[in-house]
């Protein structure tokens, strides 16, 4: 058996699977998101660790004697999030998350000092606010005492691997999201690190996703019941693991993920096939090759925000957190396509592709007295789909074909949302028999690491199966018209949003 863990934005998801990909056990453990200021998003690594331990104990308790058959484990983790360790291996301050946008000034400082051309040449990505590089510079400039304590800077899943094994490593897929890593040559860029004024020795050794970094420590094995001979494999960044778990590992395949953020991902074997303007992320894949990725920051997060702030009546009536989204989407089903003119721009925490603008914020437009809560819910589903289309159109500009996509994530559980995405993107959509996301991909990586599968492609071919297909409907024409308005709304309002952001931050 193989164990995969996704250290996500809202909690830990753990899976135990068979070698054929059957899910034998799964568990979710949540933790708190901290927002101390507008644009700031943090979490406490000790809360991650508590959730990991609790999840491992749940697995061994449920599996009983069979738990000894767990041969290998690997983690997937949120990209870009910064964990700062001191020389005792202790966390210095709360982790700064991928969705945190406090580093606007540091981003500009890096781009101006190093130069966009050099950044795209040396690390193949621009240092967006959510990336690791500007976070480290922010710490250096704003919390110099904490910066002076740094021994190592890790990504979230690498911190958990350290707690499990005592070994300090990262791997290529996560390192590529720091804006400090040469994605093509797979090494830390000494030139960029030096130009920014950071310390090269703060960064860990980098290995393949499928590399075995050690065995689970005896103390942790004793505490959790996990077999002490279980090997810990390096794992991968959440999006790379999500693509792996969906079988999107070959040149030209397309993945759309609707989780907290929304992602469009296309693998490539050609390192020159990337956006020269840097609007697309270009990262290392678990296969040893690369992928282009576009991101909308607030996909499922938009619906979650609306649920938590405006749907207390529905939450109270249902009393089951895992069904509330079904209730909300059922309301939206009765609203016609395009929400009778109500339009949502899902920029709740800034936006990446294609705008790369941390100062814009969400917007409901054309609100009328006719609009109900159901209209707002449907407009959120549609607004996220328009943002995903922005991502797809950016990829098409680079000559990438998007003819059929596989959709994963929480949004893939909604037939209505799938249909909206299919109509807006004007493509057929496939969903999977096992839609367990990055945790499933992490388990496959563990299987390659322990020698159960020959490589990532073999693992995907063995375990990933298609469940259903969704085709576009006659609504595509209406959505086409509104998508053009959606783009015009950004062009007409972003300057005002940026000014409003500056005033609000003072």
């Amino acid at each position: 058996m193989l164990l995969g863990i996704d250290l996500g934005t809202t909690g830990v998801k753990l899976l135990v699977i068979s070698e054929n990909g059957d899910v034998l056990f799964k568990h979710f453990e949540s933790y708190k998101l901290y927002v101390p200021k507008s644009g700031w998003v943090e979490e406490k690594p000790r809360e991650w660790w508590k959730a990991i331990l609790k999840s491992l104990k749940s697995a061994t308790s449920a599996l009983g004697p069979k738990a000894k058959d767990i041969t290998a484990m690997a983690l997937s983790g949120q990209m870009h999030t910064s964990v700062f360790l001191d020389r005792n291996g202790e966390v210095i301050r709360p982790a700064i998350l991928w969705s945190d946008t406090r580093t606007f000034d540091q981003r500009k400082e890096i781009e101006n000092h190093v130069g966009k051309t050099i950044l795209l040449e040396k690390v193949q990505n621009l240092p967006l606010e959510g990336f690791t590089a500007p976070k480290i510079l922010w710490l250096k400039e704003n919390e110099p005492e904490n910066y002076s304590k740094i021994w190592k800077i890790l990504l979230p899943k690498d911190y958990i691997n350290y707690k499990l094994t005592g070994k300090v490593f990262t791997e290529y897929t996560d390192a590529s999201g720091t804006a400090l890593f040469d994605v093509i040559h797979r090494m830390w860029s000494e030139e960029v690190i030096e130009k920014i004024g950071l310390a090269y020795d703060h960064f860990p050794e980098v290995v393949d996703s499928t590399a075995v970094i050690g065995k689970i420590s005896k103390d942790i094995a004793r505490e959790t019941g996990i077999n002490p001979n279980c090997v810990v494999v390096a794992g991968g960044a959440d999006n790379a693991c999500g693509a792996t778990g969906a079988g999107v590992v070959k040149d030209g395949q397309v993945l759309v993920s609707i989780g907290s953020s929304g992602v469009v991902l296309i693998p490539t074997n050609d390192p020159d096939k990337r956006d020269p303007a840097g609007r697309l992320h270009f990262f290392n894949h678990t296969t040893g090759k690369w992928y282009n990725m576009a991101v909308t920051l607030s996909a499922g997060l938009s619906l979650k925000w609306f649920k938590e702030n405006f749907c207390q009546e529905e939450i109270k009536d249902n009393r089951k957190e895992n069904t509330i989204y079904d209730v909300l989407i059922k309301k939206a089903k009765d609203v016609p396509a395009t929400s009778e003119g109500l339009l949502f721009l899902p920029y709740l925490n800034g936006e990446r592709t294609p705008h790369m603008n941390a100062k814009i914020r969400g917007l409901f437009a054309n609100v009328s007295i006719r609009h109900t809560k159901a209209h707002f819910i449907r407009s959120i589903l549609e607004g996220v789909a328009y943002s995903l289309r922005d991502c797809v159109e950016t990829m098409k500009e680079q000559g990438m074909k998007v003819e059929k996509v596989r959709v994963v994530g929480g949004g893939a559980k909604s037939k209505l949302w799938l249909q909206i995405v299919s109509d807006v993107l004007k493509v057929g959509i496939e969903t999977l028999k096992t839609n367990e996301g990055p945790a499933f991909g992490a388990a496959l990586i563990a299987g390659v690491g322990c020698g159960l599968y020959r490589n990532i492609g073999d693992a995907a071919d063995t375990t990933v199966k298609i469940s259903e297909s969704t085709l576009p409907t006659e609504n595509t024409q209406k959505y086409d018209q509104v998508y053009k308005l959606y783009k015009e709304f950004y062009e007409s309002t972003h300057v005002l949003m940026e000014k409003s952001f500056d005033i609000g931050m003072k």
Side-chain angles (χ1 to χ4, degrees), residues 52-118:
I52 291 285
L53 292 176
K54 198 169 181 180
S55 299
L56 291 173
K57 291 174 185 176
S58 295
T60 56
S61 175
L63 293 170
K66 292 183 180 179
K68 71 179 187 307
D69 295 328
I70 296 175
T71 305
M73 64 181 292
L75 270 89
S76 156
Q78 29 174 303
M79 293 183 77
H80 319 303
T81 297
S82 304
V83 183
F84 304 102
L85 298 186
D86 66 18
R87 293 196 173 276
N88 296 318
E90 298 295 329
V91 175
I92 295 169
R93 70 168 325 279
I96 305 175
L97 257 64
W98 59 273
S99 53
D100 188 289
T101 55
R102 77 184 70 178
T103 58
F104 182 83
D105 291 339
Q106 286 72 30
R107 170 195 171 178
K108 293 298 182 185
E109 185 178 340
I110 293 171
E111 288 181 349
N112 292 336
H113 185 67
V114 180
K116 288 185 179 181
T117 301
I118 292 177

Side-chain angles (χ1 to χ4, degrees), residues 405-459:
V405 303
R406 291 183 181 178
V407 179
V408 299
K413 297 175 183 177
S414 164
K415 288 189 176 182
L416 175 61
W417 210 347
L418 287 174
Q419 189 62 67
I420 290 171
V421 171
S422 178
D423 288 341
V424 171
L425 299 187
K426 301 191 289 187
V427 296
I429 282 176
E430 295 176 336
T431 52
L432 307 174
K433 286 186 177 179
T434 302
N435 178 23
E436 299 294 352
F440 191 79
L444 299 187
I445 291 169
V448 177
C450 72
L452 183 61
Y453 311 117
R454 289 173 297 169
N455 50 47
I456 293 294
D458 178 43

Side-chain angles (χ1 to χ4, degrees), residues 238-292:
D238 52 4
N239 290 305
C241 286
T244 300
V248 179
V249 296
K250 298 174 183 176
D251 197 350
Q253 292 180 311
V254 183
L255 175 75
V256 169
S257 174
I258 309 175
S260 295
S261 62
V263 168
V264 180
L265 184 153
I266 302 180
T268 180
N269 296 329
D270 184 356
D272 293 325
K273 197 171 185 178
R274 59 186 192 276
D275 179 20
R279 294 171 300 167
L280 301 175
H281 308 323
F282 188 72
F283 295 145
N284 296 101
H285 205 344
T286 58
T287 59
K289 300 299 183 181
W290 303 272
Y291 63 89
N292 282 285

Side-chain angles (χ1 to χ4, degrees), residues 303-304 307 311-332 377 410 413-414:
L303 192 58
K304 182 175 187 288
K307 177 205 76 172
C311 300
Q312 295 307 310
E313 181 181 343
E314 288 82 0
I315 292 172
K316 183 179 179 181
D317 289 346
N318 285 277
R319 301 181 187 280
K320 291 182 179 179
E321 183 72 17
N322 63 339
T323 65
I324 184 61
Y325 291 108
D326 295 334
V327 172
L328 299 185
I329 290 173
K330 186 178 180 181
K331 286 178 177 286
I377 295 167
K413 297 175 183 177
S414 164

Side-chain angles (χ1 to χ4, degrees), residues 156-174:
K157 63 111 174 53
D158 304 319
Y159 169 71
I160 299 301
N161 282 343
Y162 167 65
K163 295 287 284 183
L164 289 169
T165 67
K167 305 291 180 63
V168 178
F169 288 97
T170 189
E171 46 70 52
Y172 299 116
T173 68
D174 239 352

